[in-house]
Amino acid sequence: MTTFAELHRGEAPLLLPNAWDHASAGALAAEGFRAVGTTSLGVAAAVGLPDGASATRDETLRLGLALGSGPYLLSVDAEDGYSEDPEEVGEFARELVAVGAVGINLEDGLGSSALHAAKIAAVKAAAPGLFVNARTDTYWLGEGDTDTRARLDAYQQAGADGVFVPGLTEPREIAALVKHLDVPLNILYDPTGPTLPHLADLGVRRVSLGSLLYRRALGAALQTALEIREGHTPRGAVPSYGAVDALSRRGDVTHSDET
């Protein structure tokens, strides 16, 4: 069986869609996605908590438990690890492995790079086989390439298996960063940025969809409700009741005439 790390070394970049519940993960797997990530925004929004505030540790672990036995490799978005204590972050990583996760995404939030490196090292000590994707927010929260390379160098040295720079979309900067790194570069897909084939040509090894699928699903739900209210027939593909029910029962996607 192909490992999660090996998916970062294939002929094409690993396209990692991000699920927010059992049904969304199962539907993606049924379409051939060999690995699925989680989205912290989807987890937080589902329970009415803020994203990126270290408020959803328990909810994230519960989602990991629900998805960890699925027919796909699971990587969990764990925000900043839900603690400033590296040992606690390491313990959370151990819990994720216990429920079946093979990867974890940890973000620095533009905080101390030394602390983030310590968290990465603690995770690798507690769960050596867990693929650590170390995220820096220099582009996502900051003003661009201020100390991106210095941060990523520290994370590589701490044991990160891959690094993630959401918000970086300029092709020349992506290509230069790929040449600088010793580990796979993960880029967040942006509909206004480079296409997947272009990112592949630049040397990107992993492309995440982040919260995009969740937000588009919410947008489609709102559009459907508004179209019905206005007397129109809703447009777009809709899974059948039976197909979604099968996913909820941890089954495979099936075709059904139920509505």
Side-chain angles (χ1 to χ4, degrees):
M1 179 180 180
T2 304
T3 68
F4 190 55
E6 287 171 340
L7 290 180
H8 294 72
R9 300 192 293 269
E11 293 183 4
L14 167 62
L15 177 60
L16 189 72
N18 299 73
W20 56 93
D21 61 10
H22 190 273
S24 56
L28 289 165
E31 290 299 325
F33 287 96
R34 300 164 71 183
V36 174
T38 65
T39 163
S40 62
L41 176 63
V43 173
V47 294
L49 291 172
D51 184 30
S54 294
T56 56
R57 182 189 191 280
D58 292 344
E59 289 78 10
T60 298
L61 188 58
R62 278 195 289 270
L63 181 59
L65 177 61
L67 304 187
S69 60
Y72 42 78
L73 298 171
L74 174 67
S75 182
V76 173
D77 182 352
E79 297 187 8
D80 65 351
Y82 307 112
S83 175
E84 294 298 282
D85 182 348
E87 295 307 312
E88 290 184 1
V89 178
E91 178 56 33
F92 183 69
R94 224 183 329 252
E95 293 180 85
L96 288 179
V97 170
V99 301
V102 298
I104 185 172
N105 191 76
L106 290 174
E107 60 196 51
D108 65 14
L110 285 187
S112 165
S113 59
L115 175 58
H116 200 59
K119 292 180 182 181
I120 294 165
V123 169
K124 294 305 292 185
L130 193 65
F131 188 103
V132 177
N133 196 45
R135 166 176 152 175
T136 185
D137 289 311
T138 50
Y139 283 82
W140 192 247
L141 300 176
E143 297 181 356
D145 189 17
T146 51
D147 59 344
T148 300
R149 290 192 180 189
R151 284 177 177 268
L152 296 185
D153 285 345
Y155 304 159
Q156 288 184 129
Q157 293 167 14
D161 301 287
V163 293
F164 185 22
V165 189
L168 174 59
T169 59
E170 209 289 316
R172 285 177 295 180
E173 293 181 24
I174 293 173
L177 191 54
V178 167
K179 292 180 180 178
H180 175 77
L181 294 169
D182 297 322
V183 297
L185 175 63
N186 182 190
I187 292 294
L188 181 68
Y189 174 78
D190 185 331
T192 66
T195 63
L196 185 60
H198 191 183
L199 289 171
D201 291 340
L202 294 172
V204 173
R205 301 313 308 150
R206 171 167 159 179
V207 179
S208 297
L209 298 186
S211 65
L212 179 62
L213 299 183
Y214 177 79
R215 291 183 287 113
R216 285 186 65 89
L218 182 58
L222 290 171
Q223 180 179 353
T224 298
L226 292 173
E227 287 175 347
I228 293 172
R229 188 174 70 179
E230 293 168 2
H232 304 305
T233 300
R235 296 165 292 173
V238 181
S240 72
Y241 177 96
V244 176
D245 188 52
L247 291 170
S248 301
R249 297 170 186 271
R250 300 177 186 246
D252 297 324
V253 173
T254 58
H255 297 285
S256 171
D257 292 330
E258 282 188 89
T259 58

